[in-house]
Amino acid sequence: MSTATHAHDTHGHDHAHAHDHHGPPAGFSRWMYTTNHKDIGTMYLWFSFAMFLMGGSMALLIRAELFQPGLQLVEPQFFNSLTTVHGLVMVFGAIMPAFVGFANWLVPMQIGAADMAFPRMNNWSFWLLIPAALLLVGSFFVPGGAAASGWTLYPPLIIQQGMSIDMTILAVHILGASSIMGSINIITTILNLRAPGMTLMKMPLFVWTWLITAYLLIAVMPVLAGAVTMLLTDRHFGTSFFNAAGGGDPTMFMHIFWFFGHPEVYIMILPAFGIVSQIIPAFARKPLFGYASMVYATSSIAILSFIVWGHHMFTVGMPAAGNLFFMYATMLIAVPTGVKIFNWIATMWKGSMTFETPMLFAVGFLCLFTIGGFSGLVLAITPVDITLHNTYYVVAHFHYVLVSGALFAIMAGIYFWLPKWTGHMYSEGLGKLHFWLSMIGFNVAFFPQHFLGLAGMPRRIPDYALQFTEWNQISTVGAFIFGFSQLLFLYIVISTIRGGAKAPDRTWEGADSLEWTHLPSPVPYHTFETAPVVK
Amino acid sequence: MPVKLTRAVAAAAAFLSAPVLADYHVDILPPATPIAQEIYNLHFGILWVCVGIFIVVFGAMFWSVFAHRKSRGAQAAQFHENTTIEIIWTVVPFVILIAMAYPATKTVLDMKDGSNPDMSIKVTAYQWKWEYDYLQDGVRYFSSLSTPREQIEEHEKPGPKKNPNYLLEVDNPVVVPVGKKVRLLITSNDVIHGWYVPQLGVNQYGIPGFVKDAWFKVDKPGRYLGQCSQICGKEHGYMPIVVDAVSAEDYAKWIADKKAKMPPPPAPVADATPAAAAPAEDPNKKWSVDELKANGAKVYAANCQACHGAEGKGTPPAFPPLAGSKVANGPKGAQIDLELKGKPGTAMASFAQLSDADLASVITHTRTSWGNKGGEVMPAEVKSARK
Amino acid sequence: MAEPHKPTPQQRRNALLSAAVLAAMVLGIYAVFMLKVFSA
């Protein structure tokens, strides 16, 4: 897709050691004050992994409590806090920062820019995450416990709680500010700092998906900020936006929240599509089947995401016309999503494939994300949704799209680019073991939840009726396999950073974006100070 | 925590080896209403369409994974972009979606058609119980979980054997006649709840300040179980719904029986059936303070403990502690008033449905326990406060 | 840290312009949204 020539290869292999001269300062101040997109990307990824382990521990505590009926480990209120904070931490702390980390590392290198457009704002975007995370997790330790209303923060339930809610609201504001600054930076970089000859339609798909994602963030983050501001004034300043007794309407919060919330879902999946669209052609050794149609499909999904929020609210009691509109709009999303799936498979067709760990995760993504897509189609059908709303079927559905979708793509991307970033090959054997453990653990944990939902088990309950026992036990076993196999991932990443076989500059023979064709492995601290020329 | 964990693991091991009720259910529960049947058919159809597509699409992918691998000497073709095939794979899914949307639309319209109901029940959700008000038949009562607390709490030691319908059993089920169109008017007194009975095809939020409707018509007699579907606080998992569908005669009998047991607010009715209504207490009985305290502890466990805690500590700020509270140590009249009217804008609902004696007992209990020095309240004081 | 890269003046101007437009979008969405609900 992008063939490029070395215009001024200031950082050839022979000069790889030269970066020591203008390399980073050592120690804490390197990370505190850095404006380097690679350092910031690294920090985003480590932050995300720390939050992933934290949110994962909460999930395991939830699954441990649900191993059998009755209350054995936790109190119901604490259980609700766990489900709530698990959701918030995973969405805002693990998945989103991981993709921003990828964007920081890859966007400048893939478009041939030296760095992001606003390096100092980039530093600030990252460091804002830390106080937000502390507020979020610290809220467990204030009187009344952490937010316990589900990650959707619906009033009036959320109004009943104590200061942990104010901490959560503040955290959401900070995270929103961080995302907005990050998005402005990414859009500006992509639109203005492309190397000569790198036209929009020559950009790698990862860059395209992030461009669209950043626009989604800019459109919906202010809406979320507005919604939580209204919660705050309802709590402390006597307004009644969501209080019926004062003329407000709790349903309005749901509309506003999901107007943010549905695009948010695509914010978490579009960059995953981008990563997978880089990996599958590389390992099929064959260009992506339909580059242009992938770009159009991604844009269509983004636009449709603004008119489907009502499908989260079919049980609110909207008029029939509302239910029908949101049902049709939601079903329509299956078309561009299908186009993407078909494109990936057509890319694999008649390729010359090998299955190293990144490709395994990408194929795993393809199969399992599609299962999540199908259960999404089932849930789009209003009457079926009504009988499955707020049951474990929904839990299974969104874990199929967010864990085996977004998270598997993140794993695939880490294995794919780790040799480029560190200059070392990871252990292929351990990587494959990690994949199979994750694959098996994940499916054992979440497939049975479809059955629980169909049988009517509500979500967010700490205790359940006896007929749900068997599938819950199987699910818990799977969750622990999945959870603990991520420690193997941590080990693999650390040992790759510390040593290992030397990775070739073009680690994967089918990979053709600028970071593979123009830069050595490991990439020097500063790259493309003079822009390459893309033909 | 480690001690608890080992205990849980041990309990789990015992549990797994016991001959438990093996129930690997994999489908939507058997439908009991025409709407639930339509939902069942929709799900069944769409599921198999999806399975079919999955097999075709991923059959192709796995064939490719098997055949087009480098280790088998596959050479990469370099084709890409083909307008014909791209149009096909856009249009075909679109057509399949239209085929799915058509029957779904019909069901959406059927579900929304609550016209000409045979009877209406107003359902009010509270943290954490349901109130049912039969608008035509004049019966009104609360329904809450009847599973004993000791079967639930297993933090210290495994509880006694759980009831077969553990967590899906209530003190007062909803009773409806079969073959009648029942309209539900659903609302809430505090936070959002969800009235969800899967086999009836009903799942509707109860939203404070708004009344939403839903309807069902049960075909065959039976007991249908459900739960609150929207997280509503601490006891969200403990507010089940039990619907008994009975014949028209049994329904009439149940209504008459229920009316006889209703608490007396419209005074003359209660006099008509004096001692017949089983162990209902004698309104003229003289209560000693000890009797009040003993009865009060029971009433407290059934109605108040979920929020205010067994030790009266509550979970502030939503559920204030009673130990040392101003109300329980202040003037009696204010507390009686609070119990009868509730506190608007909070989870504290009115408990006027309790009898004078039960209210007096529970007030006495709260005013004389946990170091509180409010003093006892007699049933007569509650009675006079009702006027 | 050593030598920060130097985008061309043209790129710098365009970048600031893009950022200003995007920031205006964010503030605009927030303001319109809040004004709408506060006046409702």
Side-chain angles (χ1 to χ4, degrees), chain A residues 71-72 289 318 328 350 352-353 387 389-390 463 470 509, chain B residues 21 68 70 74 81 105 112 127 152 154 166 196 205 229-230:
Chain A
L71 294 172
Q72 293 82 27
F289 178 78
M318 286 183 291
Y328 298 148
K350 286 200 186 295
S352 171
M353 282 188 282
T387 212
H389 178 80
N390 267 344
D463 192 0
E470 286 76 20
E509 59 175 314
Chain B
L21 185 78
H68 307 145
K70 200 181 177 193
E81 314 234 341
T105 304
K112 280 286 169 187
Q127 283 173 316
I152 298 171
E154 298 187 313
Y166 175 73
Y196 173 42
Y205 282 177
S229 66
Q230 172 63 22

PDB file of all heavy atoms in Angstrom, chain A residues 71-72 289 318 328 350 352-353 387 389-390 463 470 509, chain B residues 21 68 70 74 81 105 112 127 152 154 166 196 205 229-230:
ATOM      1  N   LEU A  71     -23.920 -15.824  50.191  1.00  0.00           N
ATOM      2  CA  LEU A  71     -22.858 -14.823  50.283  1.00  0.00           C
ATOM      3  C   LEU A  71     -21.717 -15.397  51.090  1.00  0.00           C
ATOM      4  O   LEU A  71     -21.878 -15.693  52.265  1.00  0.00           O
ATOM      5  CB  LEU A  71     -23.384 -13.561  50.973  1.00  0.00           C
ATOM      6  CG  LEU A  71     -24.449 -12.775  50.232  1.00  0.00           C
ATOM      7  CD1 LEU A  71     -24.986 -11.679  51.140  1.00  0.00           C
ATOM      8  CD2 LEU A  71     -23.905 -12.206  48.956  1.00  0.00           C
ATOM      9  N   GLN A  72     -20.547 -15.594  50.457  1.00  0.00           N
ATOM     10  CA  GLN A  72     -19.421 -16.154  51.200  1.00  0.00           C
ATOM     11  C   GLN A  72     -18.303 -15.142  51.429  1.00  0.00           C
ATOM     12  O   GLN A  72     -17.687 -15.136  52.468  1.00  0.00           O
ATOM     13  CB  GLN A  72     -18.832 -17.367  50.464  1.00  0.00           C
ATOM     14  CG  GLN A  72     -19.755 -18.557  50.392  1.00  0.00           C
ATOM     15  CD  GLN A  72     -20.747 -18.432  49.260  1.00  0.00           C
ATOM     16  OE1 GLN A  72     -20.482 -17.782  48.263  1.00  0.00           O
ATOM     17  NE2 GLN A  72     -21.895 -19.045  49.417  1.00  0.00           N
ATOM     18  N   PHE A 289      -7.621  -6.676   1.468  1.00  0.00           N
ATOM     19  CA  PHE A 289      -8.471  -6.851   0.287  1.00  0.00           C
ATOM     20  C   PHE A 289      -9.088  -5.536  -0.171  1.00  0.00           C
ATOM     21  O   PHE A 289      -8.936  -5.131  -1.306  1.00  0.00           O
ATOM     22  CB  PHE A 289      -9.572  -7.874   0.573  1.00  0.00           C
ATOM     23  CG  PHE A 289     -10.492  -8.051  -0.594  1.00  0.00           C
ATOM     24  CD1 PHE A 289     -10.101  -8.816  -1.685  1.00  0.00           C
ATOM     25  CD2 PHE A 289     -11.740  -7.441  -0.625  1.00  0.00           C
ATOM     26  CE1 PHE A 289     -10.923  -8.969  -2.781  1.00  0.00           C
ATOM     27  CE2 PHE A 289     -12.569  -7.596  -1.719  1.00  0.00           C
ATOM     28  CZ  PHE A 289     -12.163  -8.360  -2.799  1.00  0.00           C
ATOM     29  N   MET A 318     -40.108   3.385  25.909  1.00  0.00           N
ATOM     30  CA  MET A 318     -40.230   4.399  24.854  1.00  0.00           C
ATOM     31  C   MET A 318     -41.442   4.046  24.000  1.00  0.00           C
ATOM     32  O   MET A 318     -41.889   2.908  23.988  1.00  0.00           O
ATOM     33  CB  MET A 318     -38.968   4.387  23.977  1.00  0.00           C
ATOM     34  CG  MET A 318     -37.759   5.007  24.629  1.00  0.00           C
ATOM     35  SD  MET A 318     -36.335   5.049  23.518  1.00  0.00           S
ATOM     36  CE  MET A 318     -35.904   3.319  23.380  1.00  0.00           C
ATOM     37  N   TYR A 328     -34.039  -0.608  14.017  1.00  0.00           N
ATOM     38  CA  TYR A 328     -33.577  -0.614  12.621  1.00  0.00           C
ATOM     39  C   TYR A 328     -32.168  -0.037  12.522  1.00  0.00           C
ATOM     40  O   TYR A 328     -31.305  -0.596  11.844  1.00  0.00           O
ATOM     41  CB  TYR A 328     -34.518   0.202  11.731  1.00  0.00           C
ATOM     42  CG  TYR A 328     -35.933  -0.310  11.667  1.00  0.00           C
ATOM     43  CD1 TYR A 328     -37.018   0.560  11.511  1.00  0.00           C
ATOM     44  CD2 TYR A 328     -36.195  -1.669  11.747  1.00  0.00           C
ATOM     45  CE1 TYR A 328     -38.312   0.085  11.456  1.00  0.00           C
ATOM     46  CE2 TYR A 328     -37.498  -2.144  11.704  1.00  0.00           C
ATOM     47  CZ  TYR A 328     -38.556  -1.257  11.559  1.00  0.00           C
ATOM     48  OH  TYR A 328     -39.837  -1.725  11.512  1.00  0.00           O
ATOM     49  N   LYS A 350      -6.255 -17.246  -0.011  1.00  0.00           N
ATOM     50  CA  LYS A 350      -5.174 -17.404  -0.981  1.00  0.00           C
ATOM     51  C   LYS A 350      -3.942 -16.580  -0.599  1.00  0.00           C
ATOM     52  O   LYS A 350      -3.189 -16.134  -1.470  1.00  0.00           O
ATOM     53  CB  LYS A 350      -5.641 -17.052  -2.399  1.00  0.00           C
ATOM     54  CG  LYS A 350      -6.539 -18.117  -3.012  1.00  0.00           C
ATOM     55  CD  LYS A 350      -6.582 -17.982  -4.510  1.00  0.00           C
ATOM     56  CE  LYS A 350      -7.582 -18.943  -5.136  1.00  0.00           C
ATOM     57  NZ  LYS A 350      -7.193 -20.346  -4.940  1.00  0.00           N
ATOM     58  N   SER A 352      -0.383 -16.434   1.969  1.00  0.00           N
ATOM     59  CA  SER A 352       0.653 -17.408   2.315  1.00  0.00           C
ATOM     60  C   SER A 352       0.881 -17.219   3.802  1.00  0.00           C
ATOM     61  O   SER A 352       1.756 -16.480   4.225  1.00  0.00           O
ATOM     62  CB  SER A 352       1.906 -17.104   1.496  1.00  0.00           C
ATOM     63  OG  SER A 352       2.970 -17.903   1.955  1.00  0.00           O
ATOM     64  N   MET A 353       0.025 -17.901   4.586  1.00  0.00           N
ATOM     65  CA  MET A 353      -0.095 -17.500   5.991  1.00  0.00           C
ATOM     66  C   MET A 353       0.852 -18.245   6.913  1.00  0.00           C
ATOM     67  O   MET A 353       1.123 -19.432   6.737  1.00  0.00           O
ATOM     68  CB  MET A 353      -1.530 -17.726   6.463  1.00  0.00           C
ATOM     69  CG  MET A 353      -2.467 -16.637   5.993  1.00  0.00           C
ATOM     70  SD  MET A 353      -4.069 -16.812   6.730  1.00  0.00           S
ATOM     71  CE  MET A 353      -4.753 -18.108   5.748  1.00  0.00           C
ATOM     72  N   THR A 387     -36.430  -9.231  26.726  1.00  0.00           N
ATOM     73  CA  THR A 387     -36.371 -10.388  27.611  1.00  0.00           C
ATOM     74  C   THR A 387     -34.949 -10.685  28.083  1.00  0.00           C
ATOM     75  O   THR A 387     -34.748 -11.422  29.034  1.00  0.00           O
ATOM     76  CB  THR A 387     -37.033 -11.612  26.940  1.00  0.00           C
ATOM     77  OG1 THR A 387     -37.623 -12.403  27.956  1.00  0.00           O
ATOM     78  CG2 THR A 387     -36.039 -12.434  26.172  1.00  0.00           C
ATOM     79  N   HIS A 389     -32.564  -8.016  28.456  1.00  0.00           N
ATOM     80  CA  HIS A 389     -31.967  -6.799  28.997  1.00  0.00           C
ATOM     81  C   HIS A 389     -31.541  -7.005  30.442  1.00  0.00           C
ATOM     82  O   HIS A 389     -32.290  -7.559  31.244  1.00  0.00           O
ATOM     83  CB  HIS A 389     -32.991  -5.661  28.914  1.00  0.00           C
ATOM     84  CG  HIS A 389     -32.495  -4.378  29.498  1.00  0.00           C
ATOM     85  ND1 HIS A 389     -31.663  -3.539  28.829  1.00  0.00           N
ATOM     86  CD2 HIS A 389     -32.692  -3.823  30.708  1.00  0.00           C
ATOM     87  CE1 HIS A 389     -31.371  -2.500  29.591  1.00  0.00           C
ATOM     88  NE2 HIS A 389     -31.981  -2.650  30.740  1.00  0.00           N
ATOM     89  N   ASN A 390     -30.324  -6.516  30.757  1.00  0.00           N
ATOM     90  CA  ASN A 390     -29.800  -6.630  32.122  1.00  0.00           C
ATOM     91  C   ASN A 390     -29.710  -8.060  32.619  1.00  0.00           C
ATOM     92  O   ASN A 390     -29.824  -8.315  33.814  1.00  0.00           O
ATOM     93  CB  ASN A 390     -30.635  -5.792  33.108  1.00  0.00           C
ATOM     94  CG  ASN A 390     -30.041  -4.405  33.275  1.00  0.00           C
ATOM     95  OD1 ASN A 390     -28.897  -4.170  32.920  1.00  0.00           O
ATOM     96  ND2 ASN A 390     -30.810  -3.490  33.820  1.00  0.00           N
ATOM     97  N   ASP A 463     -25.679 -12.888  44.396  1.00  0.00           N
ATOM     98  CA  ASP A 463     -26.179 -14.169  44.860  1.00  0.00           C
ATOM     99  C   ASP A 463     -27.259 -14.589  43.870  1.00  0.00           C
ATOM    100  O   ASP A 463     -27.881 -13.732  43.249  1.00  0.00           O
ATOM    101  CB  ASP A 463     -26.776 -13.955  46.256  1.00  0.00           C
ATOM    102  CG  ASP A 463     -27.069 -15.255  46.970  1.00  0.00           C
ATOM    103  OD1 ASP A 463     -26.805 -16.316  46.397  1.00  0.00           O
ATOM    104  OD2 ASP A 463     -27.576 -15.184  48.103  1.00  0.00           O
ATOM    105  N   GLU A 470     -24.522 -24.303  38.100  1.00  0.00           N
ATOM    106  CA  GLU A 470     -23.523 -25.038  37.304  1.00  0.00           C
ATOM    107  C   GLU A 470     -22.772 -24.118  36.351  1.00  0.00           C
ATOM    108  O   GLU A 470     -21.551 -24.097  36.322  1.00  0.00           O
ATOM    109  CB  GLU A 470     -24.208 -26.164  36.518  1.00  0.00           C
ATOM    110  CG  GLU A 470     -24.612 -27.335  37.377  1.00  0.00           C
ATOM    111  CD  GLU A 470     -25.856 -27.054  38.201  1.00  0.00           C
ATOM    112  OE1 GLU A 470     -26.621 -26.118  37.848  1.00  0.00           O
ATOM    113  OE2 GLU A 470     -26.070 -27.752  39.210  1.00  0.00           O
ATOM    114  N   GLU A 509       7.830 -10.291   7.497  1.00  0.00           N
ATOM    115  CA  GLU A 509       8.141 -10.008   6.100  1.00  0.00           C
ATOM    116  C   GLU A 509       6.990  -9.341   5.361  1.00  0.00           C
ATOM    117  O   GLU A 509       7.208  -8.621   4.402  1.00  0.00           O
ATOM    118  CB  GLU A 509       8.589 -11.275   5.368  1.00  0.00           C
ATOM    119  CG  GLU A 509       7.569 -12.391   5.376  1.00  0.00           C
ATOM    120  CD  GLU A 509       8.029 -13.569   4.518  1.00  0.00           C
ATOM    121  OE1 GLU A 509       8.495 -13.310   3.399  1.00  0.00           O
ATOM    122  OE2 GLU A 509       7.927 -14.726   4.972  1.00  0.00           O
TER     123      GLU A 509
ATOM    124  N   LEU B  21     -28.585 -30.289  41.941  1.00  0.00           N
ATOM    125  CA  LEU B  21     -29.579 -30.198  40.893  1.00  0.00           C
ATOM    126  C   LEU B  21     -28.850 -29.839  39.594  1.00  0.00           C
ATOM    127  O   LEU B  21     -28.481 -28.705  39.385  1.00  0.00           O
ATOM    128  CB  LEU B  21     -30.546 -29.090  41.300  1.00  0.00           C
ATOM    129  CG  LEU B  21     -31.780 -28.824  40.465  1.00  0.00           C
ATOM    130  CD1 LEU B  21     -32.814 -29.881  40.781  1.00  0.00           C
ATOM    131  CD2 LEU B  21     -32.310 -27.449  40.814  1.00  0.00           C
ATOM    132  N   HIS B  68      -4.212 -22.277   2.931  1.00  0.00           N
ATOM    133  CA  HIS B  68      -3.350 -21.220   2.403  1.00  0.00           C
ATOM    134  C   HIS B  68      -2.282 -20.829   3.401  1.00  0.00           C
ATOM    135  O   HIS B  68      -2.129 -19.674   3.743  1.00  0.00           O
ATOM    136  CB  HIS B  68      -4.200 -19.995   2.021  1.00  0.00           C
ATOM    137  CG  HIS B  68      -5.333 -20.335   1.120  1.00  0.00           C
ATOM    138  ND1 HIS B  68      -6.550 -19.705   1.167  1.00  0.00           N
ATOM    139  CD2 HIS B  68      -5.445 -21.259   0.139  1.00  0.00           C
ATOM    140  CE1 HIS B  68      -7.362 -20.219   0.262  1.00  0.00           C
ATOM    141  NE2 HIS B  68      -6.711 -21.171  -0.375  1.00  0.00           N
ATOM    142  N   LYS B  70       1.779 -20.872   4.619  1.00  0.00           N
ATOM    143  CA  LYS B  70       3.094 -20.885   3.997  1.00  0.00           C
ATOM    144  C   LYS B  70       3.754 -22.250   4.127  1.00  0.00           C
ATOM    145  O   LYS B  70       4.429 -22.720   3.224  1.00  0.00           O
ATOM    146  CB  LYS B  70       3.967 -19.821   4.683  1.00  0.00           C
ATOM    147  CG  LYS B  70       5.156 -19.407   3.860  1.00  0.00           C
ATOM    148  CD  LYS B  70       5.970 -18.365   4.621  1.00  0.00           C
ATOM    149  CE  LYS B  70       7.210 -17.989   3.836  1.00  0.00           C
ATOM    150  NZ  LYS B  70       8.154 -17.247   4.661  1.00  0.00           N
ATOM    151  N   ALA B  74       1.975 -22.446   0.162  1.00  0.00           N
ATOM    152  CA  ALA B  74       1.061 -21.542  -0.534  1.00  0.00           C
ATOM    153  C   ALA B  74       1.790 -20.267  -0.963  1.00  0.00           C
ATOM    154  O   ALA B  74       2.575 -19.705  -0.204  1.00  0.00           O
ATOM    155  CB  ALA B  74      -0.105 -21.185   0.386  1.00  0.00           C
ATOM    156  N   GLU B  81      -9.509  -5.729  -3.986  1.00  0.00           N
ATOM    157  CA  GLU B  81     -10.612  -4.897  -4.487  1.00  0.00           C
ATOM    158  C   GLU B  81     -11.319  -5.561  -5.668  1.00  0.00           C
ATOM    159  O   GLU B  81     -10.747  -5.816  -6.702  1.00  0.00           O
ATOM    160  CB  GLU B  81     -10.123  -3.495  -4.927  1.00  0.00           C
ATOM    161  CG  GLU B  81      -9.193  -2.891  -3.908  1.00  0.00           C
ATOM    162  CD  GLU B  81      -9.576  -1.516  -3.426  1.00  0.00           C
ATOM    163  OE1 GLU B  81     -10.367  -0.848  -4.117  1.00  0.00           O
ATOM    164  OE2 GLU B  81      -9.107  -1.136  -2.343  1.00  0.00           O
ATOM    165  N   THR B 105     -40.727  -6.357  13.937  1.00  0.00           N
ATOM    166  CA  THR B 105     -41.578  -5.168  13.980  1.00  0.00           C
ATOM    167  C   THR B 105     -42.973  -5.522  14.465  1.00  0.00           C
ATOM    168  O   THR B 105     -43.574  -4.831  15.294  1.00  0.00           O
ATOM    169  CB  THR B 105     -41.660  -4.544  12.580  1.00  0.00           C
ATOM    170  OG1 THR B 105     -40.336  -4.272  12.139  1.00  0.00           O
ATOM    171  CG2 THR B 105     -42.488  -3.281  12.598  1.00  0.00           C
ATOM    172  N   LYS B 112     -46.544  -3.356  22.469  1.00  0.00           N
ATOM    173  CA  LYS B 112     -46.941  -2.008  22.860  1.00  0.00           C
ATOM    174  C   LYS B 112     -48.451  -1.847  22.903  1.00  0.00           C
ATOM    175  O   LYS B 112     -48.971  -0.801  23.298  1.00  0.00           O
ATOM    176  CB  LYS B 112     -46.349  -0.992  21.872  1.00  0.00           C
ATOM    177  CG  LYS B 112     -44.893  -0.686  22.170  1.00  0.00           C
ATOM    178  CD  LYS B 112     -44.795   0.199  23.402  1.00  0.00           C
ATOM    179  CE  LYS B 112     -43.364   0.304  23.868  1.00  0.00           C
ATOM    180  NZ  LYS B 112     -43.269   1.008  25.145  1.00  0.00           N
ATOM    181  N   GLN B 127     -37.074   0.135  47.484  1.00  0.00           N
ATOM    182  CA  GLN B 127     -35.861  -0.553  47.892  1.00  0.00           C
ATOM    183  C   GLN B 127     -36.227  -1.365  49.123  1.00  0.00           C
ATOM    184  O   GLN B 127     -36.441  -0.770  50.192  1.00  0.00           O
ATOM    185  CB  GLN B 127     -34.768   0.455  48.249  1.00  0.00           C
ATOM    186  CG  GLN B 127     -34.115   1.058  46.995  1.00  0.00           C
ATOM    187  CD  GLN B 127     -33.155   2.169  47.347  1.00  0.00           C
ATOM    188  OE1 GLN B 127     -33.460   3.018  48.171  1.00  0.00           O
ATOM    189  NE2 GLN B 127     -31.993   2.182  46.734  1.00  0.00           N
ATOM    190  N   ILE B 152     -28.804 -17.239  53.339  1.00  0.00           N
ATOM    191  CA  ILE B 152     -28.041 -16.358  52.450  1.00  0.00           C
ATOM    192  C   ILE B 152     -26.662 -16.070  53.015  1.00  0.00           C
ATOM    193  O   ILE B 152     -25.658 -16.190  52.333  1.00  0.00           O
ATOM    194  CB  ILE B 152     -28.824 -15.035  52.247  1.00  0.00           C
ATOM    195  CG1 ILE B 152     -30.165 -15.325  51.568  1.00  0.00           C
ATOM    196  CG2 ILE B 152     -27.998 -14.046  51.443  1.00  0.00           C
ATOM    197  CD1 ILE B 152     -31.095 -14.142  51.509  1.00  0.00           C
ATOM    198  N   GLU B 154     -23.419 -16.574  54.452  1.00  0.00           N
ATOM    199  CA  GLU B 154     -22.519 -17.700  54.693  1.00  0.00           C
ATOM    200  C   GLU B 154     -21.095 -17.213  54.925  1.00  0.00           C
ATOM    201  O   GLU B 154     -20.144 -17.934  54.669  1.00  0.00           O
ATOM    202  CB  GLU B 154     -22.566 -18.674  53.511  1.00  0.00           C
ATOM    203  CG  GLU B 154     -23.947 -19.269  53.304  1.00  0.00           C
ATOM    204  CD  GLU B 154     -23.954 -20.358  52.257  1.00  0.00           C
ATOM    205  OE1 GLU B 154     -23.374 -20.148  51.178  1.00  0.00           O
ATOM    206  OE2 GLU B 154     -24.535 -21.417  52.527  1.00  0.00           O
ATOM    207  N   TYR B 166     -34.793 -20.981  46.339  1.00  0.00           N
ATOM    208  CA  TYR B 166     -33.912 -20.011  47.002  1.00  0.00           C
ATOM    209  C   TYR B 166     -33.850 -18.706  46.211  1.00  0.00           C
ATOM    210  O   TYR B 166     -33.579 -18.715  45.014  1.00  0.00           O
ATOM    211  CB  TYR B 166     -32.523 -20.638  47.093  1.00  0.00           C
ATOM    212  CG  TYR B 166     -31.443 -19.749  47.640  1.00  0.00           C
ATOM    213  CD1 TYR B 166     -31.390 -19.428  48.985  1.00  0.00           C
ATOM    214  CD2 TYR B 166     -30.458 -19.253  46.804  1.00  0.00           C
ATOM    215  CE1 TYR B 166     -30.371 -18.636  49.487  1.00  0.00           C
ATOM    216  CE2 TYR B 166     -29.436 -18.453  47.295  1.00  0.00           C
ATOM    217  CZ  TYR B 166     -29.402 -18.139  48.630  1.00  0.00           C
ATOM    218  OH  TYR B 166     -28.399 -17.345  49.121  1.00  0.00           O
ATOM    219  N   TYR B 196     -39.247  -7.813  36.001  1.00  0.00           N
ATOM    220  CA  TYR B 196     -38.780  -8.728  34.963  1.00  0.00           C
ATOM    221  C   TYR B 196     -39.224 -10.156  35.273  1.00  0.00           C
ATOM    222  O   TYR B 196     -38.778 -10.754  36.252  1.00  0.00           O
ATOM    223  CB  TYR B 196     -37.252  -8.647  34.900  1.00  0.00           C
ATOM    224  CG  TYR B 196     -36.586  -9.656  34.002  1.00  0.00           C
ATOM    225  CD1 TYR B 196     -37.098  -9.973  32.745  1.00  0.00           C
ATOM    226  CD2 TYR B 196     -35.411 -10.300  34.402  1.00  0.00           C
ATOM    227  CE1 TYR B 196     -36.457 -10.889  31.924  1.00  0.00           C
ATOM    228  CE2 TYR B 196     -34.764 -11.212  33.580  1.00  0.00           C
ATOM    229  CZ  TYR B 196     -35.295 -11.506  32.354  1.00  0.00           C
ATOM    230  OH  TYR B 196     -34.657 -12.408  31.538  1.00  0.00           O
ATOM    231  N   TYR B 205     -38.776  -1.131  33.249  1.00  0.00           N
ATOM    232  CA  TYR B 205     -38.257  -0.319  34.346  1.00  0.00           C
ATOM    233  C   TYR B 205     -39.410   0.339  35.094  1.00  0.00           C
ATOM    234  O   TYR B 205     -40.382   0.792  34.484  1.00  0.00           O
ATOM    235  CB  TYR B 205     -37.374   0.806  33.819  1.00  0.00           C
ATOM    236  CG  TYR B 205     -35.966   0.413  33.415  1.00  0.00           C
ATOM    237  CD1 TYR B 205     -35.111   1.357  32.876  1.00  0.00           C
ATOM    238  CD2 TYR B 205     -35.495  -0.879  33.581  1.00  0.00           C
ATOM    239  CE1 TYR B 205     -33.812   1.019  32.494  1.00  0.00           C
ATOM    240  CE2 TYR B 205     -34.205  -1.219  33.210  1.00  0.00           C
ATOM    241  CZ  TYR B 205     -33.367  -0.269  32.672  1.00  0.00           C
ATOM    242  OH  TYR B 205     -32.104  -0.600  32.308  1.00  0.00           O
ATOM    243  N   SER B 229     -34.621  -6.347  37.593  1.00  0.00           N
ATOM    244  CA  SER B 229     -33.595  -6.434  36.557  1.00  0.00           C
ATOM    245  C   SER B 229     -32.669  -5.231  36.533  1.00  0.00           C
ATOM    246  O   SER B 229     -31.690  -5.243  35.804  1.00  0.00           O
ATOM    247  CB  SER B 229     -34.250  -6.586  35.184  1.00  0.00           C
ATOM    248  OG  SER B 229     -34.963  -5.424  34.844  1.00  0.00           O
ATOM    249  N   GLN B 230     -32.966  -4.176  37.285  1.00  0.00           N
ATOM    250  CA  GLN B 230     -32.099  -2.998  37.203  1.00  0.00           C
ATOM    251  C   GLN B 230     -31.475  -2.744  38.558  1.00  0.00           C
ATOM    252  O   GLN B 230     -32.177  -2.678  39.564  1.00  0.00           O
ATOM    253  CB  GLN B 230     -32.900  -1.779  36.734  1.00  0.00           C
ATOM    254  CG  GLN B 230     -32.160  -0.468  36.793  1.00  0.00           C
ATOM    255  CD  GLN B 230     -30.935  -0.416  35.888  1.00  0.00           C
ATOM    256  OE1 GLN B 230     -30.828  -1.163  34.924  1.00  0.00           O
ATOM    257  NE2 GLN B 230     -29.987   0.421  36.212  1.00  0.00           N
TER     258      GLN B 230
END
